[in-house]
Amino acid sequence: TSFSRPVLIVDEAQEMQRAVLSELRLLASARLDSHILLTVVLAGDGPSESRCRAIAPEGTWFAGPLSGEELSAFYASADAFIFPSATETFGNVVLEAVASGLPVVSPDRGATMEIAREGTALTFPAGDSHALAGRVEWLLRDEVLRRSLRTAGLGESAGRTWDAVWDRLFSDYRVAAGLAEPEDAAARAA
């Protein structure tokens, strides 16, 4: 699908909060400047999908569950990734977004802060839909900021390979077994 407006991917259709969707509805219909409107895209499905459809901004596109090449193409088609939830346990979707070069807007608490924090993402006070809207508007107005967040996000994701995860794990095992000092293990894992 091709859009003529900036595309915001909003993840977590299953857990979307009414206040956040209400604020995105306002953003989707408001003019950010004299020529640009938003397109909001939701990925995933789940037990709350019908409620999300009922309160989503007009024109929201529901992509349904995606994986593999479809998911990669989905991320590649977006201009930004909005992650309103502070309850995510790890943040795979945030990692996928930054690895795809998307600037991210996410809450200032929760496990996603390991990846999406000041410098690699725009954060907002969790649960504050007005602050979320302000960050989204700022991101869409500021090309330099978008480029900076893309670069920082790509750098953040580059070190999060499975090889790096396993190297760190085995390094920690060597320390736990008394086969290496913590400094030595950290240097080998780096």
Side-chain angles (χ1 to χ4, degrees), residues 91-108:
N92 278 331
V93 292
V94 172
L95 182 57
E96 290 167 344
V98 297
S100 298
L102 291 177
V104 170
V105 178
S106 70
D108 63 355

Side-chain angles (χ1 to χ4, degrees), residues 152-176:
L154 287 167
E156 178 68 29
S157 66
R160 295 184 179 269
T161 65
W162 280 113
D163 286 341
V165 169
W166 286 114
D167 287 348
R168 180 68 187 162
L169 177 65
F170 288 131
S171 177
D172 289 345
Y173 285 162
R174 285 191 294 276
V175 169

Side-chain angles (χ1 to χ4, degrees), residues 67-136:
S67 62
E69 289 183 22
E70 269 187 323
L71 183 61
S72 295
F74 179 70
Y75 281 118
S77 71
D79 296 295
F81 185 79
I82 313 304
F83 193 80
S85 175
T87 61
E88 175 69 24
T89 56
F90 172 69
N92 278 331
V93 292
V94 172
L95 182 57
E96 290 167 344
V98 297
S100 298
L102 291 177
V104 170
V105 178
S106 70
D108 63 355
R109 69 169 197 235
T112 58
M113 289 290 298
E114 185 178 328
I115 300 163
R117 58 188 178 283
E118 291 301 327
T120 61
L122 279 182
T123 61
F124 64 94
D128 185 339
S129 60
H130 294 290
L132 169 61
R135 298 308 191 280
V136 170

